Amino acid sequence: MSTALHSRRDFEALLMRFLDPLRKHYDASCSRIELAGGGAQYEDEVIPMEAWARLLWGLAPFWAGGSRSADDFYEHAYCNGLIAGTDPQSDAYWGDCRDHDQKFVEMAAIAYALLLAPDVLWEPLTDGQRERAAAWLGKINEHSCPAGNWLWFQALVNLALRELGMPYNAGLLREDLDTLDSFYEDDGWYKDGPAGLPDYYNAMTFQFFSVLYIWKFGLRDTVRATGYLDRLKLFASDYVKLFSARGEGVPYGRSMTYRFAQAGFWSIAVAAGVNLGEGFDTACLKGLIMRNLEAWNRTRICDNGGVVTVGYRYPNQHMCESYNAAGSPYWCLMAFACLALPEDDSFWTLPASGTMPVHDGVVSALGGTGLVARDTGGEVVLYPSGRVPGHPFAQSDNKYSKFAYSSRFGFSVARSQRTLEEAAPDSVLSFVVGGRVFVRDGVDKSEIVTLGDGKCAVRTRWSPCPGIDVVTDIIPLTNGQLRSHIVTSAIDCVAFDAGFAVPGDYHWVTLEDTDKVCRVEAVGHVEGERVLLRPEANTNIECCKTVIPAVKYVINAGINKLATRVAVIE
């Protein structure tokens, strides 16, 4: 960001820089925001409603903290939009619902706003308008939701309806909260449903809404709130390890287009006054929020009209999910939850801490996700278990199953298996078989093993394709990693053990250039050829042009033992 954040006015100004470019895109009823962009897996008519609703993740705390837009534009727009969108007799009606309806996700944003700012979004409505709004929200109880973080959306709607004195489903609310509890694993982390994995949805849903529950309902339900708080403290001590000293979270998993929603957990913890445990004082949390927001270049993540794009560090439809439409990225506004604190709160004058309760040079386990390491410069590398979600999300192998994910180097997403250029196989051992490129897509077994000299490794057993089986040890080192592979192959082929994708114009960058940033070399008995892969543009989520240093190995039928060192140069 071009402007440093500190005061409440700084945060408000930044929020409005994201919101104000959308003013001209509201429809006449103010119940939709019409943006250019592609489709999604849900109905086209839901896309503008989603864009409308997602701004509430920022507006709700903005209102709760006592602020109003200069001309009351957003206050009028959202009251009028809610009235029109929930009226079956209106041409602007958002429509009835079905099982697994995308509107259920957006109902959560409305429920959040009703809980935080009822004086803006509820009290101005007439009794009839309230009844229609409540009836429409209640439709979430008439249909099924996916068994995962979506159950929080249903729970939030029922909590908001209960709080407002409107009809709600008490039995379903208890059932949802109990089912969500059943997804808890350990160290504060949840799996996202029976076949899900721990990823950023922990911070953006499970933990974010747990804080909200403590904040708004903790005195009414002390048993559940106490359990949530215990988990939150464990989670915070793990989650902070994913943030670099510069503020970035390690890009890993799906829904990266939500960007600084990564910081929403820290932000709502501040708003709620929740004690996350030793080391997480208010100055620390303010630093985490500020650094993460300031790490994003607004001119790169927005189009030339100021609209936040689908992508990560730059506009990139290729890496998005099937459920990402033009307004989806505004989930990022969760990071502004701290605006619920009023202007006179000491948070806004408190100096932000530059320190975090983690130490550089330390390798540690990270819940159910693997190992995480911080180098001496404060950059973070995540060494995951290699598992992929049970649901076939787009590009899960690239988003979950690489050997390493770095806060310094974003991961790449393949265009196809046809060529190495299209496969963009960074941080993986890829095999070229029959003119196709195969990488790790899930694992048969994963474990963390203790080695000599105080070292540990993520050990996985996996198969890229029929006829090839691999056992891989990934050992974090100071500023790098050592990889050991035992490849049992029924065929002759070639393999590429690749390092991180290094930013640079692939027309001109050489191995000598990448050696100054990321050097990859064979260190075992099997010799390999050092090569530079030149993937297609826009395959990496951090930089539109990259090169990938790698070692090319000849794989013979039988057992092949490979060892590769990836050294990251500060």
Side-chain angles (χ1 to χ4, degrees):
M1 300 295 176
S2 57
T3 303
L5 295 172
H6 187 76
S7 70
R8 193 174 193 281
R9 291 186 180 182
D10 295 335
F11 277 77
E12 284 184 357
L14 179 59
L15 174 64
M16 291 303 152
R17 287 178 71 187
F18 287 116
L19 299 187
D20 285 346
L22 301 174
R23 286 188 177 215
K24 61 184 178 182
H25 296 295
Y26 286 81
D27 71 353
S29 69
C30 288
S31 65
R32 292 166 174 79
I33 298 177
E34 302 283 354
L35 300 175
Q41 66 186 20
Y42 41 88
E43 297 86 347
D44 288 349
E45 55 266 27
V46 179
I47 292 175
M49 182 268 173
E50 174 192 62
W52 177 92
R54 295 213 167 180
L55 301 199
L56 289 169
W57 294 115
L59 283 168
F62 172 78
W63 293 328
S67 296
R68 301 293 182 266
S69 50
D71 52 1
D72 292 328
F73 174 83
Y74 295 109
E75 294 73 30
H76 289 311
Y78 279 83
C79 273
N80 293 335
L82 182 62
I83 292 167
T86 58
D87 184 356
Q89 303 305 313
S90 169
D91 292 338
Y93 181 52
W94 287 325
D96 292 335
C97 300
R98 59 170 173 81
D99 290 348
H100 297 197
D101 201 309
Q102 179 65 27
K103 293 191 286 291
F104 299 159
V105 183
E106 314 322 321
M107 286 180 183
I110 297 172
Y112 179 65
L114 291 171
L115 287 169
L116 264 61
D119 56 324
V120 174
L121 205 57
W122 187 253
E123 293 173 10
L125 276 58
T126 67
D127 288 345
Q129 290 165 347
R130 293 178 185 177
E131 289 173 1
R132 287 188 288 273
W136 183 81
L137 288 168
K139 291 182 182 296
I140 197 172
N141 295 325
E142 301 169 9
H143 302 274
S144 66
C145 287
N149 70 82
W150 277 47
L151 296 182
W152 261 118
F153 308 150
Q154 192 170 54
L156 282 182
V157 169
N158 279 302
L159 287 167
L161 291 173
R162 185 183 74 179
E163 194 73 3
L164 297 170
M166 304 305 289
Y168 74 103
N169 191 321
L172 189 56
L173 173 58
R174 287 192 300 271
E175 180 182 327
D176 286 341
L177 293 175
D178 289 344
T179 302
L180 288 162
D181 279 343
S182 74
F183 298 149
Y184 181 70
E185 292 202 304
D186 52 27
D187 297 321
W189 292 85
Y190 293 78
K191 57 184 177 182
D192 192 5
L197 290 179
D199 56 21
Y200 277 108
Y201 275 96
N202 272 256
M204 296 187 294
T205 55
F206 290 97
Q207 306 294 359
F208 187 96
F209 298 136
S210 294
V211 175
L212 181 63
Y213 192 89
I214 293 172
W215 182 12
K216 295 298 180 181
F217 310 108
L219 295 178
R220 184 182 303 185
D221 185 359
T222 56
V223 173
R224 197 180 298 273
T226 299
Y228 284 165
L229 183 58
D230 291 341
R231 296 175 188 177
L232 288 168
K233 290 179 179 179
L234 291 171
F235 177 74
S237 65
D238 251 11
Y239 189 53
V240 72
K241 299 171 187 174
L242 291 177
F243 289 81
S244 76
R246 291 182 290 116
E248 294 93 337
V250 176
Y252 163 77
R254 63 192 178 100
S255 294
M256 287 291 95
T257 197
Y258 300 154
R259 296 182 172 98
F260 40 91
Q262 296 166 344
F265 170 67
W266 309 121
S267 195
I268 196 169
V270 165
V274 169
N275 178 6
L276 295 179
E278 185 178 355
F280 291 99
D281 58 21
T282 307
C284 170
L285 295 178
K286 186 171 186 178
L288 284 164
I289 300 163
M290 288 172 51
R291 285 192 297 274
N292 187 260
L293 283 169
E294 290 174 348
W296 295 91
N297 184 334
R298 194 182 69 88
T299 61
R300 287 281 287 159
I301 66 175
C302 297
D303 64 20
N304 58 7
V307 176
V308 179
T309 59
V310 173
Y312 194 63
R313 290 291 175 186
Y314 63 98
N316 188 341
Q317 288 277 350
H318 174 60
M319 50 73 65
C320 74
E321 318 298 337
S322 59
Y323 51 80
N324 290 157
S328 299
Y330 284 94
W331 193 299
C332 67
L333 300 181
M334 278 186 159
F336 289 92
C338 59
L339 280 174
L341 297 174
E343 178 70 38
D344 60 359
D345 193 278
S346 61
F347 174 80
W348 301 113
T349 55
L350 183 72
S353 171
T355 61
M356 296 186 287
V358 293
H359 303 287
D360 296 342
V362 172
V363 177
S364 56
L366 189 72
T369 58
L371 295 174
V372 64
R374 296 176 63 85
D375 68 20
T376 54
E379 299 292 347
V380 183
V381 179
L382 170 64
Y383 301 94
S385 67
R387 294 181 295 161
V388 297
H391 185 86
F393 294 111
Q395 304 278 12
S396 287
D397 54 343
N398 295 297
K399 297 173 181 177
Y400 289 92
S401 207
K402 293 182 185 291
F403 294 148
Y405 294 84
S406 169
S407 61
R408 182 177 175 186
F409 307 97
F411 64 83
S412 298
V413 178
R415 288 187 178 275
S416 80
Q417 294 177 291
R418 194 175 64 89
T419 66
L420 287 165
E421 290 76 17
E422 292 181 359
D426 64 312
S427 290
V428 292
L429 179 65
S430 58
F431 295 82
V432 180
V433 180
R436 290 291 184 268
V437 182
F438 296 90
V439 299
R440 189 170 75 170
D441 185 9
V443 296
D444 298 321
K445 183 178 180 181
S446 176
E447 60 183 328
I448 296 175
V449 296
T450 301
L451 307 174
D453 301 325
K455 292 184 173 62
C456 54
V458 178
R459 175 171 297 166
T460 57
R461 299 176 184 273
W462 55 284
S463 174
C465 61
I468 300 177
D469 294 293
V470 187
V471 177
T472 293
D473 279 2
I474 305 294
I475 306 168
L477 304 174
T478 302
N479 298 323
Q481 63 201 251
L482 179 65
R483 303 173 181 176
S484 171
H485 311 284
I486 301 175
V487 180
T488 304
S489 180
I491 57 175
D492 296 335
C493 60
V494 295
F496 295 83
D497 203 359
F500 294 113
V502 176
D505 191 326
Y506 45 69
H507 293 102
W508 313 113
V509 176
T510 66
L511 269 175
E512 289 72 21
D513 297 322
T514 58
D515 279 349
K516 300 173 184 176
V517 181
C518 178
R519 181 179 175 87
V520 183
E521 58 188 339
V523 293
H525 296 299
V526 177
E527 294 184 0
E529 177 189 359
R530 299 182 66 236
V531 297
L532 193 62
L533 308 181
R534 302 177 188 273
E536 288 198 357
N538 305 318
T539 48
N540 188 266
I541 70 169
E542 288 268 359
C543 183
C544 58
K545 287 186 180 180
T546 62
V547 291
I548 304 172
V551 174
K552 178 181 178 180
Y553 291 104
V554 174
I555 304 297
N556 299 310
I559 297 177
N560 303 260
K561 295 183 178 181
L562 318 176
T564 308
R565 173 165 181 143
V566 177
V568 176
I569 314 302
E570 291 187 6

